[in-house]
Amino acid sequence: GAVALGDVRRERAGRREATRELDALDRAAAVQLGRQVVRLHRGRLLREREDLKRQWNEALAKVDALLTPGTATTAPRVEEIDQKGSAAIYTRAINLVDWCALALPNGFSSTGLPTSLQIACRGYDEAIALRIGWAFEQATPWHTRTPSL
């Protein structure tokens, strides 16, 4: 027989609500699992991070600043952006060891997309990074240019 439109709408609404509840449960389970993993490994991970920071600072003890690319690739085109990966390998390493950093434009790729320079310094040495960045901008035109898209 014929099914009333109201019945179909109620059924769809019920399915949507069930899906939302399941998604909420999945998120809650994932958060709970994450908390358990963090509790199990937090102390070890913090000790490893402190050891890494000590090694990093010892190796770079005579260095005022570390200059690296800002990202591993040029800036992606908007249509190429996704949240699955990151070109931020250099910035993440600096964050991990508690250094500060400044990123500045430093050119364009052969495809016309911008590239960047990262100026990293020990934590709380922001003034050094800013002075180096200012000097770089005075010596180069990159901060005044925009890509032609």
Side-chain angles (χ1 to χ4, degrees), residues 51-93:
D51 188 47
L52 177 65
K53 286 167 46 176
R54 182 188 51 72
Q55 291 174 33
W56 178 276
N57 287 320
E58 285 175 6
L60 298 172
K62 296 181 180 181
V63 173
D64 291 322
L66 181 65
L67 307 182
T68 70
T71 59
T73 63
T74 60
R77 295 188 180 282
V78 172
E79 62 271 8
E80 296 170 356
I81 294 175
D82 67 31
Q83 299 301 314
K84 294 177 185 168
S86 174
I89 186 170
Y90 302 111
T91 58
R92 287 183 177 167

